[in-house]
């Protein structure tokens, strides 16, 4: 299941529906649940563009959301999870439209359960996916990078006291090169407001592949070999950089339709420093 934070433009303090009432200022505010269906916009890249029909796509999306009692503006908040009920409602709509959507058109919709608690960021989870029409048979993938960023810097921090300053700094720079540096700094201003700043320094891998991440690509041996060749070259060029902890870097591909994930390239850079 995919989980991620949803940032809303505004959080309502008081919510009253037929299902549950959340009072303002209640210190024991319970978590409530709401549901929404969204189109996976990447699915439009899986169809014959000449036959692509945005109007028909919207009709199905609206039908799915109406089935789960979301009209595009007002949510129903539930005090208990309604996953089975919402999945059944979506399956019914899928069945209704199964013969109406031609096989030359492909649509993929995701059902989200959104956990909400006053004053907290909302957590959204995909609990179901519904496909209509027929996707093109070409296997498409998205690429992403995975590293042991947090673990590596934590390990270096633990070793800092026992390392010569130059060795520590050299390792720190090597980690920045291999896994990047991504930190969040929170400060309290004189006004009492909280200031959050994000610092990102891309690794050599992130910098090279950043334009690829999140986009759809036809899965091919040639594409994988190009990635492997570049990564091997970078790894070789940094093989002798000072490193007192392990650094792990992997470039992964995820099949768009099945969500199956696999490494295209992975390497563990071992510590090469010995007192």
């Amino acid at each position: 299941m995919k989980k991620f934070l949803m940032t809303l433009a505004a959080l309502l303090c008081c919510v009253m529906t037929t299902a549950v009432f959340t009072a303002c200022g209640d210190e024991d505010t319970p978590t409530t649940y709401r549901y929404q269906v969204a189109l996976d916009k990447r699915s439009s890249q899986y169809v014959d563009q000449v036959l692509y029909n945005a109007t028909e796509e919207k009709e199905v999306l609206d039908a799915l959301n109406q089935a789960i009692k979301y009209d595009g503006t007002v949510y129903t908040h539930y005090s208990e999870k309604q996953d089975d009920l919402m999945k059944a409602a979506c399956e019914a709509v899928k069945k209704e439209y199964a013969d109406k959507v031609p096989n030359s058109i492909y649509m993929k919709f995701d059902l989200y359960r959104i956990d909400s608690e006053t004053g907290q960021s909302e957590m959204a989870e995909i609990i179901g996916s519904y496909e209509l029409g027929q996707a093109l048979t070409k296997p498409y993938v998205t690429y992403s990078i995975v590293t042991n960023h947090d673990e590596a810097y934590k390990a270096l921090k633990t070793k800092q006291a026992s390392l010569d300053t130059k060795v520590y700094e050299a390792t720190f720079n090597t980690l920045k090169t291999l896994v990047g540096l991504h930190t969040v700094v929170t400060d309290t201003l004189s006004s009492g407001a909280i200031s959050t700043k994000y610092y990102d320094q891309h690794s050599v891998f992130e910098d090279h592949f950043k334009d690829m991440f999140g986009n759809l690509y036809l899965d091919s041996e040639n594409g994988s070999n190009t990635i492997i060749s570049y990564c091997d070259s970078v790894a070789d060029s940094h093989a002798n950089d000072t490193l007192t902890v392990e650094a792990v870097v992997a470039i992964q591909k995820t099949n768009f339709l099945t969500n199956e994930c696999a490494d295209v390239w992975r390497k563990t850079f071992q510590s090469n420093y010995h007192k």
Side-chain angles (χ1 to χ4, degrees):
M1 293 293 183
K2 297 180 180 178
K3 292 186 177 180
F4 53 89
L5 286 173
M6 295 188 71
T7 303
L8 300 182
L11 285 174
L12 294 179
C13 183
C14 295
V15 176
M16 188 175 185
T17 70
T18 57
V20 65
F21 173 74
T22 302
C24 292
D26 187 347
E27 294 182 358
D28 191 27
T29 302
T31 299
T32 59
Y33 308 94
R34 59 185 175 86
Y35 295 81
Q36 181 178 349
V37 176
L39 170 72
D40 188 330
K41 293 183 179 180
R42 298 175 301 171
S43 62
S44 64
Q45 300 181 48
Y46 251 81
V47 303
D48 186 332
Q49 294 302 308
V50 176
L51 301 172
Y52 174 64
N53 189 327
T55 301
E56 192 166 25
E57 202 172 56
K58 185 178 185 304
E59 179 184 342
V60 179
L61 177 61
D62 289 345
L64 285 165
N65 273 315
Q66 288 168 11
I68 63 170
K69 299 182 174 16
Y70 170 59
D71 68 1
T73 57
V74 179
Y75 293 99
T76 298
H77 289 249
Y78 300 90
S79 58
E80 302 289 341
K81 293 180 181 179
Q82 305 291 321
D83 293 10
D84 292 342
L85 180 66
M86 298 304 173
K87 289 178 181 179
C90 289
E91 286 291 351
V93 172
K94 177 181 176 181
K95 184 176 180 180
E96 177 187 349
Y97 279 88
D99 296 328
K100 299 179 181 179
V101 177
N103 286 337
S104 56
I105 296 177
Y106 175 65
M107 307 175 190
K108 181 172 181 284
F109 303 91
D110 294 320
L111 171 62
Y112 291 86
R113 184 187 67 240
I114 304 163
D115 302 358
S116 179
E117 185 175 345
T118 301
Q120 302 295 321
S121 296
E122 294 191 315
M123 291 295 297
E125 179 178 352
I126 295 176
I127 62 172
S129 293
Y130 305 90
E131 299 171 274
L132 287 165
Q134 179 63 52
L136 300 179
T137 56
K138 298 176 182 178
Y140 281 82
V141 295
T142 57
Y143 293 99
S144 60
I145 187 168
V146 177
T147 73
N148 69 333
H149 176 282
D150 293 350
E151 294 82 356
Y153 281 105
K154 183 177 179 180
L156 178 59
K157 186 68 176 177
T158 301
K159 285 188 173 184
Q160 183 175 5
S162 64
L163 296 175
D164 179 83
T165 300
K166 290 184 178 180
V167 173
Y168 170 81
E169 291 177 349
T171 296
F172 191 85
N173 288 330
T174 299
L175 287 180
K176 285 197 296 184
T177 298
L178 299 178
V179 302
L181 180 61
H182 308 286
T183 59
V184 179
V185 178
T186 302
D187 293 318
T188 302
L189 305 179
S190 57
S191 62
I194 302 298
S195 170
T196 302
K197 296 181 180 179
Y198 299 87
Y199 296 94
D200 291 293
Q201 181 171 322
H202 289 158
S203 70
V204 63
F205 300 100
E206 291 170 315
D207 192 54
H208 183 79
F209 293 115
K210 64 179 182 294
D211 292 333
M212 287 180 57
F213 298 150
N215 295 321
L216 276 175
Y217 292 91
L218 183 64
D219 191 15
S220 68
E221 184 176 354
N222 182 60
S224 293
N225 287 339
T226 299
I227 291 173
I228 292 170
S229 177
Y230 171 79
C231 291
D232 280 343
S233 174
V234 171
D236 289 343
S237 67
H238 293 283
N240 296 319
D241 292 1
T242 301
L243 192 62
T244 62
V245 296
E246 282 190 354
V248 180
V249 181
I251 304 297
Q252 297 183 333
K253 63 180 179 182
T254 302
N255 185 286
F256 171 69
L257 288 180
T258 66
N259 287 324
E260 293 178 348
C261 186
D263 287 343
V264 176
W265 181 88
R266 174 181 288 267
K267 183 174 178 61
T268 298
F269 295 84
Q270 302 287 349
S271 170
N272 56 17
Y273 175 75
H274 304 285
K275 279 190 173 182

